[in-house]
Structure formats: structure tokens, C-alpha cells
């Protein structure tokens, strides 16, 4: 009887120890899961304000997607006309955003002034492209006109902070640079005098505006 009682006590103790270690193991696992979850949900390193407010960045991505969907023909004049018309669409939408939500007088006025001018150029470019669809060629050369936009998107700060004015000045400067670089790729291939002249004019105007935007950014550091 004594042995049986002794054995029963040890069995009870062993069972109790087993339950204790199991509970500890479960608690430890729950703690580790909780810790991992806290790490996953820790947004302290993210600029949440920029993510919520940077409409300009969304418009840039939208414009890049639209440009990638342009059907290339291999005709440098037609492909440039289609790409630059789409590029202008992005600039127009960004200017509308600045006009609606910007507060800097110089930038808002620039945005207002640029819209009708770019809309007129856009219409002319689209008319040319539509009336010259029959001409085709090697798309390898004309596809190079997309590279400046791709490079710009790759170099952008996608977590940009600041006001609508800062977003507009910074991103429109980059957008202009991609347009300038696109013209530089196109001009050696250009054949249609009308589109070649438009391209040169667009480059000159965007270089001037880019200088103004860059100067504004230097005078208004964040």
C-alpha cells in the first residue's frame, strides 16, 4: 500500500510538472507571436502622412502605366506624338491637383497657365498620330523613348513628405526632365518637320519651367 501511495504521488507530481512546462511553452510561443506581430505592425519608420496626402505620386504612377500601354508602331514621329500626348496628360492632371490644393501663388499660377498650353499641344500630337497610323517601322529604336520615364520612376522617393506645393514642384520637375530626355531621344530619329519643331518647343519650355521649379525648391526647403 505504501508503495502504491508513493507511486501515486510521483505520478501526480510528474503530471503536474508536465502541465506546467506545457503551459510555459504555450505562453512563450504566444509571446513570440505577439512580438513578431508588434514588429510587423510597427509603422514608426513609415511616413504615413506622405502616403495619405501625396496625390501627385499616385498621378505619376497612373501616367507611367498609361505610357506603358501606348501601342508602339516603330514610326518615330507617331510614337513620339502618342507618348508625349500621354506624358502631357500626366502633367495636366498634376497641374489640376496643384491648382485645387496648392497654396503657393507662383506654383498655382504656373499650374493654371500650363494646362491650356499643354492641352493644345496634346490635341495636335494626337491628331498627327491618328492621321499617320499607316506608317510603321522598327520599334526597338522608338522604345528607347520610354526609358527616361522608367528611370524617373525608379529614382523617385516613393515616401516623399511635404505639402501639395512641395509634391508638385519636386515631381513636376522630375516629370519635365523625363519629357526633356524623351525629346533628346526622339530628335535624332525625327522625320516630320511639324513634330520635330513641336518637340524642340516642348523641350525649351519644360527646361525653363524646370529651372523655376528647382529654384522654388531651393528657396523652400522642407
Amino acid at each position: 500500500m505504501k508503495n502504491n501511495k508513493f507511486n501515486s504521488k510521483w505520478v501526480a507530481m510528474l503530471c503536474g510538472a508536465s502541465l506546467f512546462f506545457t503551459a510555459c511553452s504555450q505562453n512563450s510561443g504566444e509571446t513570440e507571436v505577439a512580438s513578431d506581430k508588434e514588429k510587423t505592425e510597427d509603422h514608426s519608420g513609415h511616413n504615413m502622412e506622405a502616403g495619405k496626402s501625396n496625390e501627385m505620386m499616385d498621378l505619376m504612377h497612373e501616367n507611367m502605366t498609361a505610357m506603358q500601354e501606348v501601342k508602339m508602331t516603330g514610326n518615330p514621329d507617331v510614337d513620339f506624338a502618342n507618348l508625349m500626348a500621354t506624358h502631357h496628360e500626366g502633367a495636366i492632371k498634376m497641374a489640376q491637383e496643384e491648382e485645387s490644393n496648392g497654396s503657393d501663388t507662383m506654383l498655382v499660377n504656373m499650374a493654371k497657365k500650363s494646362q491650356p498650353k499643354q492641352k493644345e499641344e496634346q490635341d495636335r500630337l494626337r491628331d498627327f498620330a491618328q492621321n499617320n497610323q499607316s506608317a510603321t517601322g522598327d520599334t526597338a529604336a522608338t522604345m528607347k523613348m520610354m526609358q527616361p520615364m522608367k528611370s524617373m520612376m525608379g529614382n523617385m522617393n516613393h515616401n516623399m513628405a511635404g505639402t501639395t506645393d512641395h509634391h508638385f514642384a519636386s515631381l513636376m520637375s522630375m516629370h519635365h526632365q523625363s519629357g526633356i530626355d524623351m525629346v533628346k531621344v526622339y530628335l535624332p530619329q525625327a522625320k516630320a518637320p511639324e513634330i520635330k519643331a513641336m518637340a524642340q518647343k516642348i523641350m525649351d519650355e519644360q527646361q525653363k519651367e524646370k529651372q523655376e521649379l528647382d529654384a522654388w525648391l531651393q528657396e523652400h526647403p522642407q
Side-chain angles (χ1 to χ4, degrees):
M1 292 294 294
K2 288 183 179 180
N3 288 338
N4 288 339
K5 288 181 180 180
F6 180 77
N7 291 337
S8 297
K9 287 181 180 179
W10 273 105
V11 168
M13 290 175 64
L14 288 172
C15 289
S18 176
L19 290 172
F20 174 78
F21 285 116
T22 300
C24 288
S25 177
Q26 287 176 343
N27 289 338
S28 176
E30 289 172 0
T31 303
E32 288 177 5
V33 171
S35 178
D36 289 341
K37 186 176 180 182
E38 287 172 3
K39 289 178 182 177
T40 302
E41 295 180 351
D42 180 13
H43 301 295
S44 61
H46 298 174
N47 189 329
M48 298 303 288
E49 180 183 357
K52 289 188 296 183
S53 65
N54 198 344
E55 178 68 18
M56 297 288 178
M57 187 71 73
D58 293 339
L59 293 172
M60 289 278 274
H61 282 284
E62 179 184 303
N63 191 218
M64 180 63 183
T65 300
M67 290 187 70
Q68 288 177 324
E69 293 174 352
V70 171
K71 185 178 180 180
M72 305 296 279
T73 68
N75 180 295
D77 302 308
V78 171
D79 289 351
F80 173 79
N82 279 324
L83 287 173
M84 186 56 75
T86 307
H87 192 265
H88 271 17
E89 185 66 24
I92 290 168
K93 288 182 178 180
M94 290 167 69
Q96 290 171 343
E97 172 68 14
E98 173 63 20
E99 183 180 357
S100 298
N101 298 305
S103 59
D104 183 86
T105 302
M106 189 275 280
L107 295 180
V108 171
N109 286 339
M110 177 188 287
K112 287 181 180 179
K113 184 179 177 181
S114 68
Q115 291 176 59
K117 179 175 60 179
Q118 293 211 338
K119 186 66 173 66
E120 180 186 358
E121 291 174 348
Q122 186 183 52
D123 290 342
R124 288 175 59 193
L125 290 164
R126 284 177 173 165
D127 286 344
F128 175 88
Q130 187 174 3
N131 294 328
N132 292 271
Q133 287 296 335
S134 59
T136 59
D138 181 15
T139 59
T142 59
M143 280 294 292
K144 293 179 181 178
M145 287 187 274
M146 275 292 297
Q147 191 55 47
M149 193 73 172
K150 292 179 180 179
S151 297
M152 177 199 69
M153 294 300 291
N155 293 328
M156 272 197 322
N157 175 9
H158 295 271
N159 198 34
M160 182 182 295
T163 64
T164 296
D165 294 322
H166 280 94
H167 296 163
F168 175 74
S170 181
L171 294 177
M172 186 61 83
S173 175
M174 296 178 70
H175 195 263
H176 278 356
Q177 186 61 56
S178 69
I180 292 164
D181 292 340
M182 191 193 307
V183 171
K184 290 179 179 179
V185 175
Y186 162 67
L187 286 178
Q189 308 177 50
K191 296 178 181 178
E194 174 191 357
I195 303 303
K196 184 176 182 179
M198 279 190 67
Q200 184 64 55
K201 180 174 177 289
I202 288 169
M203 183 168 66
D204 294 342
E205 289 174 347
Q206 294 196 354
Q207 284 176 332
K208 181 176 180 297
E209 282 193 5
K210 184 180 186 308
Q211 289 175 353
E212 294 172 359
L213 291 166
D214 290 346
W216 186 92
L217 287 167
Q218 287 185 347
E219 295 170 4
H220 300 81
Q222 295 187 59

